[in-house]
């Protein structure tokens, strides 16, 4: 049925791991009959949100998988930080330069992958 679709703002993004093509889509608005009953949403501590029609949304930050991933991320970042510290060199002027070794590059790549998983 002749709905008019327009593509806007195409972009190519590289996150260090994958390339993405993002594109916005504009559609002609279709008018629906108006809703007049309201809905209540309770943002809570135990569950992220509870809706008055009975739906609940869990808080993913409290899930064991997420906690585990966050812990692994922290460890990896500490590891990288230690490697940077190990490889720093002091110049004649007394400032510190940091060398990026192959191992640091490898670890940073792993962190990228882990971060994507968390996301």
């Amino acid at each position: 049925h002749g709905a008019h679709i327009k593509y806007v703002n195409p972009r190519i993004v590289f996150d260090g791991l994958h390339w993405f093509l993002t594109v916005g889509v504009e559609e002609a608005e279709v008018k629906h009959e108006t809703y007049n009953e309201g809905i209540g949403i309770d943002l809570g501590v135990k569950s992220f949100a509870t809706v008055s029609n009975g739906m609940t949304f869990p808080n993913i930050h409290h899930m064991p998988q997420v906690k585990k991933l966050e812990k692994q991320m922290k460890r990896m970042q500490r590891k990288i930080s230690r490697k940077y510290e190990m490889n720093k060199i002091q110049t004649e002027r007394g400032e510190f330069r940091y060398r990026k070794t192959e191992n640091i590059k490898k670890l940073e790549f792993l962190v990228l992958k882990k971060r994507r998983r968390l996301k």
Side-chain angles (χ1 to χ4, degrees), residues 27-106:
E27 263 184 292
E29 202 175 314
V30 184
K31 288 273 181 275
H32 292 290
E33 66 276 356
T34 53
Y35 296 108
N36 24 20
E37 74 261 17
I39 195 164
I41 301 175
D42 173 50
L43 298 175
V45 180
K46 241 175 78 178
S47 65
F48 174 64
T50 307
V51 190
S52 58
N53 64 11
M55 285 169 73
T56 58
F57 297 93
N59 188 347
I60 65 159
H61 293 294
H62 297 317
M63 286 175 161
Q65 303 101 300
V66 174
K67 282 212 164 102
K68 187 177 159 194
L69 277 171
E70 279 170 350
K71 199 171 171 182
Q72 287 171 347
M73 282 275 294
K74 268 190 206 155
R75 281 210 189 115
M76 277 167 141
Q77 281 162 336
R78 269 203 301 266
K79 221 168 170 176
I80 290 175
S81 181
R82 277 197 296 265
K83 289 214 184 301
Y84 270 120
E85 282 304 309
M86 238 167 55
N87 291 306
K88 77 177 177 190
I89 337 157
Q90 197 166 10
T91 57
E92 308 82 70
R93 279 186 274 155
E95 60 206 18
F96 289 107
R97 297 289 305 276
Y98 292 94
R99 253 212 330 264
K100 206 177 220 182
T101 59
E102 287 305 304
N103 280 340
I104 289 176
K105 283 181 198 156
K106 274 187 273 187

Side-chain angles (χ1 to χ4, degrees), residues 12-21 109 112-113 116:
I12 295 176
V13 186
F14 181 59
D15 67 353
L17 208 62
H18 297 86
W19 290 90
F20 295 96
L21 174 63
F109 181 68
L112 262 175
K113 281 168 82 169
R116 186 187 153 100

